[in-house]
Amino acid sequence: MSCNTSLTAILKDCQNNIGGLSAIYLAPTEFVTSATTVAGVVTSITMSGSSNFVEYQFNKNSASFIEEAAISLENGSTFYTTTLSLVIPRREVAKRNALALVAAGQRNLKIIIKDANGLYWYMGEVNSANLTGLGEGSGQAKGDGSKYSLTFISEEPEMMPEVDDTIIAALIS
């Protein structure tokens, strides 16, 4: 992008704006054969064979993401680190086995995140995302519950693009 481009205004919006995430969908990078992004919006994603993104469900108020810019004036570089954190409640063998597949071999992933405003975001568009943290156990008190805490990270040349919501149904299993 040329440094001589015009800036674009950001005006105050009167729409409701709430935080939190409502859904996470994962797919191994090798299952995504192509993705088309136009003006910051993913308009199509093609999957290999009969592959789909799989949903990881979690309780309300237990997932979030942060997208931070790393800007080096000295080096003239900018990239964006996205950190997705979520808690999956109740430890059990089926969940343990599913998480072992995600962690195996530091697998490269594409992730679609649905936020509480109903917008979808594509994490790992260029360089993929990886599971970098898997922990937790059981709390001391009965009310603490047992759980898995997951952390995914991606480092990308641009901020996450939005995903056109009309393509989601065809991508998830």
Side-chain angles (χ1 to χ4, degrees), residues 1-161:
M1 181 186 317
S2 169
C3 291
N4 296 324
T5 57
S6 303
L7 299 179
T8 303
I10 297 176
L11 303 176
K12 184 176 182 290
D13 194 329
C14 294
Q15 293 182 10
N16 192 22
N17 177 33
I18 55 176
L21 305 180
S22 56
I24 305 292
Y25 306 98
L26 306 176
T29 296
E30 63 270 18
F31 291 6
V32 177
T33 56
S34 69
T36 303
T37 303
V38 178
V41 178
V42 177
T43 57
S44 72
I45 296 175
T46 306
M47 307 291 290
S48 61
S50 60
S51 302
N52 281 341
F53 282 78
V54 296
E55 184 174 10
Y56 272 50
Q57 295 182 349
F58 48 89
N59 290 335
K60 220 185 223 187
N61 302 326
S62 66
S64 65
F65 75 81
I66 298 170
E67 188 171 42
E68 297 180 289
I71 302 169
S72 172
L73 299 176
E74 304 83 24
N75 296 325
S77 64
T78 302
F79 68 93
Y80 299 86
T81 300
T82 303
T83 304
L84 167 64
S85 302
L86 66 130
V87 175
I88 297 177
R90 188 173 168 83
R91 293 176 62 90
E92 55 193 22
V93 73
K95 292 174 186 172
R96 175 216 171 270
N97 293 344
L99 293 172
L101 292 173
V102 174
Q106 293 77 48
R107 182 169 238 168
N108 290 327
L109 303 166
K110 302 294 185 184
I111 303 175
I112 296 174
I113 302 168
K114 182 180 182 186
D115 71 19
N117 293 312
L119 301 174
Y120 294 88
W121 302 96
Y122 193 43
M123 183 177 174
E125 178 184 28
V126 175
N127 297 320
S128 298
N130 300 93
L131 178 66
T132 61
L134 176 58
E136 292 284 350
S138 183
Q140 292 178 328
K142 287 182 180 29
D144 293 342
S146 66
K147 58 193 169 223
Y148 296 98
S149 292
L150 288 72
T151 304
F152 297 90
I153 292 181
S154 69
E155 294 178 329
E156 298 291 320
E158 295 184 3
M159 290 185 280
M160 286 190 297

